[in-house]
Amino acid sequence: MSKENSSNNIQVLKLLNQTVSEPHFLFHFLTFFSYLVLRCSASQVLAPNLTQNLLRREIQTLLAFAVLAFIKGVREETWEAFIGDALFLAKICLFALTFTMDRRIAVSYILVFAVIHVLTQQPPSEALGACSKLTPLLLESLLTEGTTTRYWLVEFSASYSSACIRSSQQFPELSITYSSKILSFGIVDLGLFPNAAEKFGVSLSGSMGQLPTFILFDNAAEVARFPVLGSETTFFNPTITKDYFLGILSLIGTFLNILVVNYIGDCLSLC
């Protein structure tokens, strides 16, 4: 119980630190805080009945936000996904409140959030687990020379992709559980090396392409991948949920099947 509480405290401290250090969170915090300043100024000029109506709207909006945020917190599988959804809900609530005050203020907030979206992005999870950050050249070297492990499970992602940010915590957690002397985990950022996407058959076209893509290598040969070639991810139907967990686990299952077949083959050859 104490370990769980300490873990929650660490998450809160990390969130507070990111609020100050990360431009994405800092700009959002300042924008939401500006509503308090606007609200205090408006209460001095609005009629008492309008102030009471606005207060009721604020209470209703706050309750609606709390309920929706709780539902999202239960359904989402990663902290990054929950934060992204909570910020989106908060923007809708802020627009609804300011729209009742003055439409021009609501439009101003939309423009501010649009500028924040263009200039900043939500940071991905910093946890690496047992993963190694790789360049395409380093990955090719590891696969061809085989000086480390025989099998590599590699995530091809991009720091600009919201889907990769939302799922950035899942792959490192899997690596902690399944990493071994013969299976290693790696991450290649196609945002830094976009030319490597064509080499490894990862599509970057469309609104989201096929990011993230997970490929299992046996030395320099590709054994399996998820999602499979030809599948497309749309903006309104992202596949970063339990399906991705199952997809990654299916690759690991393929890896285990290969080990079993090789082991049986070695046993038969000895006989």
Side-chain angles (χ1 to χ4, degrees), residues 8-208:
N8 293 333
N9 292 333
I10 292 174
Q11 288 286 358
V12 172
L13 291 176
K14 286 183 178 180
L15 180 59
L16 292 176
N17 180 56
Q18 285 185 334
T19 302
V20 178
S21 60
E22 290 290 345
H24 180 80
F25 296 126
L26 179 60
F27 291 160
H28 276 91
F29 173 78
L30 293 176
T31 304
F32 290 125
F33 182 78
S34 67
Y35 175 78
L36 298 178
V37 180
L38 181 65
R39 178 67 170 82
C40 294
S41 302
S43 61
Q44 298 177 1
V45 297
L46 292 176
N49 61 326
L50 294 179
T51 303
Q52 290 295 328
N53 290 335
L54 182 58
L55 180 60
R56 285 196 296 270
R57 288 288 183 89
E58 289 172 339
I59 295 175
Q60 293 171 354
T61 304
L62 184 61
L63 291 175
F65 172 77
V67 172
L68 293 175
F70 176 78
I71 295 174
K72 286 293 183 179
V74 172
R75 296 180 59 184
E76 293 296 350
E77 299 170 350
T78 65
W79 183 251
E80 288 74 23
F82 171 72
I83 292 177
D85 290 338
L87 285 177
F88 180 72
L89 292 174
K91 293 174 187 178
I92 295 177
C93 294
L94 183 62
F95 173 79
L97 286 176
T98 54
F99 190 82
T100 60
M101 296 172 60
D102 192 324
R103 295 180 181 179
R104 292 171 295 181
I105 298 176
V107 173
S108 299
Y109 272 114
I110 292 178
L111 295 177
V112 170
F113 284 127
V115 172
I116 294 176
H117 178 73
V118 172
L119 297 180
T120 67
Q121 65 178 12
Q122 181 181 343
S125 174
E126 297 179 355
L128 285 178
C131 296
S132 302
K133 284 193 173 182
L134 306 172
T135 64
L137 290 178
L138 179 58
L139 176 60
E140 286 187 61
S141 175
L142 292 172
L143 294 177
T144 55
E145 295 177 3
T147 56
T148 54
T149 57
R150 175 177 175 179
Y151 298 95
W152 277 88
L153 182 57
V154 183
E155 176 189 34
F156 294 88
S157 60
S159 56
Y160 60 80
S161 170
S162 60
C164 295
I165 293 173
R166 294 169 68 91
S167 64
S168 58
Q169 185 180 347
Q170 299 174 351
F171 194 65
E173 290 180 351
L174 285 176
S175 69
I176 296 175
T177 304
Y178 294 99
S179 179
S180 64
K181 294 181 179 179
I182 55 176
L183 175 63
S184 297
F185 289 72
I187 299 176
V188 177
D189 190 348
L190 295 181
L192 299 177
F193 309 100
N195 294 331
E198 183 178 357
K199 179 177 180 59
F200 291 99
V202 180
S203 173
L204 300 179
S205 61
S207 58
M208 292 178 66

Side-chain angles (χ1 to χ4, degrees), residues 192-245:
L192 299 177
F193 309 100
N195 294 331
E198 183 178 357
K199 179 177 180 59
F200 291 99
V202 180
S203 173
L204 300 179
S205 61
S207 58
M208 292 178 66
Q210 292 180 329
L211 296 176
T213 291
F214 305 90
I215 302 179
L216 177 64
F217 294 98
D218 178 359
N219 290 328
E222 177 182 327
V223 177
R225 72 165 57 205
F226 185 83
V228 296
L229 285 172
S231 64
E232 285 294 332
T233 304
T234 63
F235 180 80
F236 294 103
N237 188 29
T239 56
I240 311 300
T241 55
K242 291 182 179 179
D243 292 339
Y244 255 87
F245 268 126

